[in-house]
Amino acid sequence: MTLTTNVTFQLRRDTTANWATYDPILQPGEIGIDTTLNKFKIGKGGNFKWSDLQFGSILASDLTAAINSHNSTTTNVHGIADTAALATKTYSDNAVSTAIASEVTARNSAISTAKSEAITAASSDATSKVSTHNSATTNIHGIANTANLATKSYVDTAVTSLSNTASTTYALQSDVGNADGIATLDASGQVPLNQLGNLIDGAPTALNTLNELAAALGDNADFATTITSSIGTTNTNVTNLTNSLSTTNTNVSNLTSSLGTTNTNVSNLTTSVNTLSSTVTQFDNRIINLELGLGI
């Protein structure tokens, strides 16, 4: 027959107040329960009293309280002297955006100022040079003195004066009746036959009569006037061409001066751009240093 015995054992237990009042020594391995806190301690014997022992259990509420306490701590956390001094990602992003915007604004202002100054300087320099060129009278486009140039009006007047004397004909008496001179007329007002041969002097058959010569001239009684007018037109065209060439030379000179000014402006702008590029590089270095300082 098997005898079954039910054994019930109880651990040493008491309230927090009583444990504090009596502060007993627990034997090695002896368990004491704080019924107020629902936590236990394990004895070590010797001189280790209850107050000298650590609880052997941790409640969820203890963990929550410890975490909350840790979260609210701002100094000496993970080696950081003061977490309030840390910059958040939002703060860093805003600081970088503000710095970039400020740098871009300063750069745009510098470029605008440089451009305005370059245009003003170029305009002033070009105006001064054009004014100086316009007032010069010597050594212009290879002309020693522009005062010696003939104007269109001067040429027209000279040509008109020549045409006014074209109707007057003069002959030297010594040329009359002589070889290679002027034929004399007979009593009938005709050229003597002995002089006619000299007149045509072996001219081709198609041009050895006055009629043939008149036909060759288009039977134009005003041939001389027409030729004179053509010469006048030609002289006018030559004068206009001369003036056009002078204007072209002036335009080429102005273009050359403008190109020189443009080259100077481009050089100045290049210097400004290089300066801005250096500034941007310095700014990029500051950003990199800032990122390194933030551990980004």
Side-chain angles (χ1 to χ4, degrees):
M1 179 177 178
T2 301
L3 180 61
T4 300
T5 304
N6 295 324
V7 177
T8 300
F9 69 93
Q10 293 180 331
L11 298 177
R12 190 170 179 178
R13 59 193 179 280
D14 211 332
T15 63
T16 299
N18 288 337
W19 282 114
T21 299
Y22 298 107
D23 200 15
I25 297 175
L26 298 180
Q27 296 302 312
E30 182 181 8
I31 297 175
I33 299 174
D34 186 324
T35 57
T36 303
L37 299 178
N38 198 26
K39 298 165 65 175
F40 65 86
K41 294 183 179 182
I42 299 176
K44 294 183 177 181
N47 296 323
F48 291 97
K49 297 180 180 180
W50 172 266
S51 59
D52 297 327
L53 302 175
Q54 299 293 326
F55 284 107
S57 60
I58 299 177
L59 301 178
S61 58
D62 294 333
L63 290 176
T64 300
I67 291 173
N68 290 337
S69 176
H70 179 80
N71 287 341
S72 63
T73 301
T74 60
T75 58
N76 299 321
V77 180
H78 305 302
I80 300 172
D82 187 1
T83 58
L86 293 177
T88 64
K89 180 179 182 299
T90 299
Y91 178 89
S92 299
D93 290 342
N94 290 338
V96 171
S97 297
T98 300
I100 291 175
S102 177
E103 184 66 21
V104 169
T105 299
R107 183 191 315 167
N108 290 340
S109 177
I111 292 175
S112 178
T113 299
K115 179 180 178 182
S116 177
E117 291 176 350
I119 292 174
T120 300
S123 177
S124 176
D125 184 59
T127 300
S128 175
K129 289 183 176 179
V130 169
S131 177
T132 300
H133 180 81
N134 287 339
S135 63
T137 61
T138 58
N139 298 321
I140 299 177
H141 308 303
I143 301 171
N145 188 354
T146 57
N148 294 330
L149 293 177
T151 64
K152 180 178 181 297
S153 175
Y154 176 88
V155 174
D156 289 343
T157 300
V159 171
T160 301
S161 297
L162 289 176
S163 63
N164 289 338
T165 61
S167 60
T168 303
T169 303
Y170 300 94
L172 296 176
Q173 183 64 36
S174 59
D175 289 337
V176 177
N178 296 323
D180 298 324
I182 300 173
T184 58
L185 301 179
D186 59 17
S188 300
Q190 297 177 346
V191 177
L193 293 178
N194 64 336
Q195 295 185 24
L196 186 58
N198 294 333
L199 180 62
I200 62 175
D201 192 28
T205 303
L207 293 174
N208 62 1
T209 67
L210 294 178
N211 185 50
E212 291 170 347
L213 292 174
L217 296 177
D219 293 329
N220 183 6
D222 297 324
F223 180 78
T225 302
T226 301
I227 292 299
T228 301
S229 177
S230 296
I231 292 174
T233 300
T234 300
N235 287 336
T236 299
N237 292 336
V238 169
T239 299
N240 292 338
L241 179 58
T242 300
N243 292 335
S244 296
L245 289 175
S246 177
T247 301
T248 299
N249 288 335
T250 299
N251 292 337
V252 170
S253 178
N254 292 338
L255 178 60
T256 299
S257 177
S258 296
L259 288 175
T261 301
T262 300
N263 289 334
T264 299
N265 292 339
V266 170
S267 177
N268 292 337
L269 183 59
T270 300
T271 300
S272 298
V273 171
N274 290 337
T275 300
L276 291 176
S277 296
S278 176
T279 302
V280 171
T281 299
Q282 294 175 2
F283 178 68
D284 290 340
N285 290 334
R286 291 201 298 270
I287 291 178
I288 292 174
N289 292 333
L290 177 60
E291 292 177 345
L292 291 176
L294 295 177
I296 298 177

